[in-house]
Amino acid sequence: MMVCMSSVWQRGFVFAARLRKRRAYGLAGFSSRYYSTTKTAPHIPGMEYQDAICTLNTLQTNASCLEQVRQERSNPQLQLQAMRGFLERSGLTVEELDHLNIIHVTGTKGKGSTCAFTEQILRSYGFRTGFYSSPHLVQVRERIRINGQPIGKELFTKYFWQVYGRLDETKAAHGGTMPAYFRFLTILAFHVFLQEKVDLAVIEVGIGGAYDCTNIIRRPWVCGISSLGIDHTQILGDTIEKIAWQKGGIFKPGVPAFTVRQPEDAMAMLRNRAKEIRCPLWVCPELEDYKADCGPLRLGLAGQHQRSNASLALQLSHTWLQKRCLPVKSFPSTTVENTSVLQATSFKPSPIMVKGLADTEWPGRNQTLKHGPVTYFLDGAHTMRSMQACVNWFKETAAQHERNASGPVARVLLFNATGERDSAAMLKLLVPCHFDFAVFCPNITEAIASCNADQQNFNVSVENMLTRCLDNERSWHLHNRVGDNKGPQLLIESSLPLVPEKKADTLVFPCILSALQWITQRRDSVLADPAKSVLPVKPSIMAKAAPLCDVAEIHILITGSLHLVGGVLKHLDPASSK
């Protein structure tokens, strides 16, 4: 893993240097002030997709990016100021973004699903859609979608070097600064959507709202706020009111905004923010209130919590369509007098809307994959509220699968959590699911040097990731009262001494692939491919898997991190990495 990280990092800097040397091919001589996106930069020979990804990954850790983060933590207003500067250096202006007909969505839980519903509905009407979301599961191209599909490697490569080249060309005049990873991808998404001439762009906020780099958008057509909860407290604040203040920062004067039902304190803050910004704000009705000819609305995404997301998506898409088709009659005036929170009215969804909701797909969220006797339940829940929703979904869905099983079923939890999140509290919510095994691993796809550059994370060390896994295992033991630790043993022969064995019901592995192969015991043909080699596991540890060999089916819940889910999907669906 460390070999792979070092290689990727070095390659990124090498390609950046090559890029600077090639300015004579067309990048040199263009002032950023006049270098509009309407001018097509040349494709740089030798710069292929993986080269672009390697160079992109250098923006996770280079010195100027880290300095940006340090400065802006004490003065968050600098974030949008810096973003505007990078946007202009790339050849874009905020005025150009006005032409993207944007739907801007934030929230703690469900904002991605809301965007997915909204994009699918409007695409079903025949509009050419752009969709920017984060994080990606397998490949970074997933973050930038045209008509529901990740942009192709060729397009990504072309547009990447156009934007990177302009920023690299101008960095000497700006203290050597380059935008950090997420900022760069946001600029790239805007560039792609303008070049590809989308009819609308659905933009998901990264973190928060007020100071998120997507908030350089001046004139969205409509805004949405999904369910609010406690997350990213070091950035957004440690109370629901502080978080709601940040989320309400995407409101714009006179631009209609919709929210789902929120906790009382959060709703009060959103109401105050709407009044302050002079933004008309509505609360969405329950999904049952929409009366369609087909009866109850069917959703393509599983879980009861998706119902509020679907209602929000109906209001966002309906409002966007009204402005598109009836701009004078239906779109609220920019001089709004009534700034209290109103109850949005339900309406009769069109057959296209009904089909859009039913056809929506959003991988890694309440997703079920059946590979013969092994069934995977994937959900990237990583907050307390989303984990509780995940537990509710898993209990119901797994029970249905168990009723249809041909014999005994073993339940296995595969878990990891990252960042500041309270993994111990999330694990406590998972205890009632009654797993036979709890397995922990870091978000490392494979513990070999050929890992995928799309899934590299330079912001945390392997040692820290493994230590976090051990902490999670201890928390699971405490919640389950499984007794005292009898002392560490190595799971992997002659490797990774940080990985101990605590009890037969919990195990820690150094990577996702080794964990999956142990859990499935070669009963999933995709994972049993001889080409997928991992470090050898001790015979004593393999013996502990006897219960997994004896049952008719294995049901695995993978949760705690979208990055973990993405790493699993990379192995379960090899085509997703091509």
Side-chain angles (χ1 to χ4, degrees):
M1 178 62 186
M2 294 305 292
V3 173
C4 183
M5 282 187 172
S6 175
S7 173
V8 170
W9 199 356
Q10 291 172 6
R11 288 181 71 198
F13 284 117
V14 168
F15 287 117
R18 286 174 57 192
L19 177 63
R20 287 190 290 274
K21 289 180 181 178
R22 293 177 184 268
R23 289 174 182 167
Y25 285 92
L27 293 178
F30 286 101
S31 165
S32 63
R33 181 178 176 184
Y34 300 105
Y35 201 17
S36 168
T37 58
T38 58
K39 299 180 181 179
T40 303
H43 178 72
I44 301 171
M47 296 298 191
E48 304 305 331
Y49 175 72
Q50 282 300 313
D51 304 333
I53 299 303
C54 291
T55 304
L56 172 65
N57 285 345
T58 67
L59 299 180
Q60 295 184 41
T61 52
N62 73 43
S64 67
C65 295
L66 295 176
E67 182 58 29
Q68 290 171 33
V69 172
R70 281 192 288 269
Q71 291 179 359
E72 293 163 3
R73 278 178 178 166
S74 58
N75 188 358
Q77 289 87 350
L78 288 175
Q79 295 179 43
L80 293 181
Q81 179 181 333
M83 183 63 181
R84 280 189 286 270
F86 288 125
L87 188 76
E88 291 171 4
R89 282 172 52 190
S90 75
L92 285 168
T93 65
V94 290
E95 288 77 15
E96 286 180 280
L97 304 188
D98 295 343
H99 300 298
L100 286 176
N101 307 332
I102 288 169
I103 298 173
H104 201 193
V105 181
T106 189
T108 305
K109 173 168 126 0
K111 63 182 183 292
S113 300
T114 298
C115 289
F117 280 127
T118 305
E119 186 275 336
Q120 178 68 61
I121 289 171
L122 293 173
R123 176 158 44 98
S124 298
Y125 273 94
F127 293 108
R128 182 170 172 80
T129 61
F131 180 9
Y132 178 57
S133 65
S134 62
H136 61 278
L137 292 176
V138 180
Q139 296 200 58
V140 71
R141 301 180 292 114
E142 299 165 24
R143 297 181 184 228
I144 304 173
R145 295 171 180 257
I146 301 292
N147 281 340
Q149 295 299 312
I151 60 172
K153 288 184 177 181
E154 185 176 342
L155 273 185
F156 182 94
T157 303
K158 180 180 76 169
Y159 290 135
F160 174 89
W161 291 116
Q162 288 178 7
V163 174
Y164 189 91
R166 294 162 190 167
L167 289 164
D168 185 74
E169 172 75 18
T170 56
K171 75 177 185 180
H174 294 84
T177 58
M178 290 288 283
Y181 187 87
F182 184 76
R183 279 182 182 162
F184 180 91
L185 287 171
T186 304
I187 295 169
L188 179 61
F190 290 145
H191 176 63
V192 169
F193 296 154
L194 286 166
Q195 291 293 307
E196 292 297 308
K197 297 179 173 56
V198 298
D199 294 314
L200 70 137
V202 180
I203 305 295
E204 178 189 353
V205 167
I207 295 177
Y211 304 121
D212 184 76
C213 65
T214 65
N215 207 31
I216 58 169
I217 297 165
R218 301 186 313 168
R219 296 174 184 169
W221 278 22
V222 61
C223 297
I225 298 184
S226 65
S227 178
L228 298 183
I230 304 295
D231 194 20
H232 299 294
T233 55
Q234 292 182 352
I235 299 173
L236 305 180
D238 56 1
T239 67
I240 194 69
E241 294 95 335
K242 292 177 181 177
I243 289 172
W245 187 92
Q246 293 279 353
K247 306 290 184 180
I250 72 166
F251 293 158
K252 301 295 184 294
V255 174
F258 295 86
T259 184
V260 301
R261 295 187 184 278
Q262 305 285 3
E264 184 177 345
D265 292 341
M267 186 61 77
M269 178 57 72
L270 291 180
R271 180 172 59 248
N272 291 339
R273 287 289 266 164
K275 181 177 181 180
E276 169 195 349
I277 297 172
R278 301 188 63 75
C279 162
L281 177 63
W282 284 273
V283 177
C284 297
E286 300 295 328
L287 192 63
E288 294 75 18
D289 295 338
Y290 300 87
K291 305 302 181 183
D293 291 336
C294 61
L297 294 170
R298 187 174 68 84
L299 306 183
L301 304 183
Q304 284 295 313
H305 58 287
Q306 296 292 358
R307 301 183 70 76
S308 63
N309 299 330
S311 177
L312 177 55
L314 285 171
Q315 295 292 333
L316 294 174
S317 55
H318 185 251
T319 301
W320 190 92
L321 287 165
Q322 282 184 315
K323 180 172 185 184
R324 177 78 176 204
C325 304
L326 302 168
V328 177
K329 294 182 180 179
S330 300
F331 198 66
S333 166
T334 55
T335 56
V336 179
E337 296 300 329
N338 188 349
T339 54
S340 62
V341 180
L342 304 174
Q343 179 64 48
T345 57
S346 59
F347 53 86
K348 181 179 178 180
S350 70
I352 294 177
M353 288 181 170
V354 171
K355 185 176 187 300
L357 291 177
D359 289 347
T360 300
E361 297 179 352
W362 195 224
R365 291 83 170 172
N366 303 129
Q367 182 181 8
T368 304
L369 292 176
K370 186 169 177 59
H371 287 196
V374 183
T375 304
Y376 302 89
F377 302 87
L378 303 109
D379 188 67
H382 52 270
T383 69
M384 292 297 288
R385 290 189 68 189
S386 61
M387 186 57 73
Q388 186 59 64
C390 171
V391 167
N392 295 340
W393 163 73
F394 175 73
K395 283 182 175 180
E396 179 182 350
T397 308
Q400 292 174 355
H401 280 76
E402 286 170 8
R403 284 193 291 269
N404 297 324
S406 57
V409 174
R411 280 190 180 185
V412 182
L413 169 68
L414 180 57
F415 180 91
N416 190 42
T418 60
E420 68 201 47
R421 296 179 176 90
D422 189 348
S423 53
M426 288 193 286
L427 286 167
K428 188 174 183 179
L429 294 177
L430 288 160
V431 170
C433 293
H434 302 297
F435 295 101
D436 298 292
F437 289 93
V439 178
F440 304 91
C441 69
N443 296 339
I444 301 172
T445 54
E446 299 173 60
I448 56 177
S450 61
C451 48
N452 191 343
D454 282 273
Q455 295 179 314
Q456 292 299 318
N457 182 354
F458 296 152
N459 296 321
V460 60
S461 70
V462 174
E463 290 78 10
N464 286 342
M465 287 189 275
L466 289 171
T467 299
R468 182 69 177 270
C469 291
L470 297 177
D471 290 341
N472 292 338
E473 187 194 31
R474 293 187 192 100
S475 296
W476 185 260
H477 275 263
L478 290 172
H479 292 320
N480 286 274
R481 306 178 190 277
V482 295
D484 296 328
N485 176 17
K486 292 183 179 179
Q489 298 179 26
L490 297 185
L491 286 184
I492 307 298
E493 292 182 328
S494 304
S495 179
L496 293 171
L498 284 175
V499 186
E501 173 220 327
K502 300 282 187 176
K503 282 285 183 179
D505 64 343
T506 63
L507 296 166
V508 178
F509 286 89
C511 69
I512 294 169
L513 180 56
S514 60
L516 288 174
Q517 289 192 329
W518 184 87
I519 295 169
T520 58
Q521 290 296 298
R522 304 187 69 81
R523 300 178 70 177
D524 182 346
S525 59
V526 174
L527 296 172
D529 184 349
K532 289 184 174 293
S533 59
V534 297
L535 298 169
V537 176
K538 277 189 169 183
S540 61
I541 301 306
M542 292 304 297
K544 294 179 185 292
L548 298 172
C549 300
D550 295 338
V551 295
E553 295 185 13
I554 302 171
H555 291 177
I556 312 168
L557 173 63
I558 298 114
T559 191
S561 164
L562 273 170
H563 300 286
L564 172 67
V565 169
V568 170
L569 285 172
K570 173 184 179 291
H571 292 299
L572 299 184
D573 181 16
S576 65
S577 298
K578 295 179 180 178

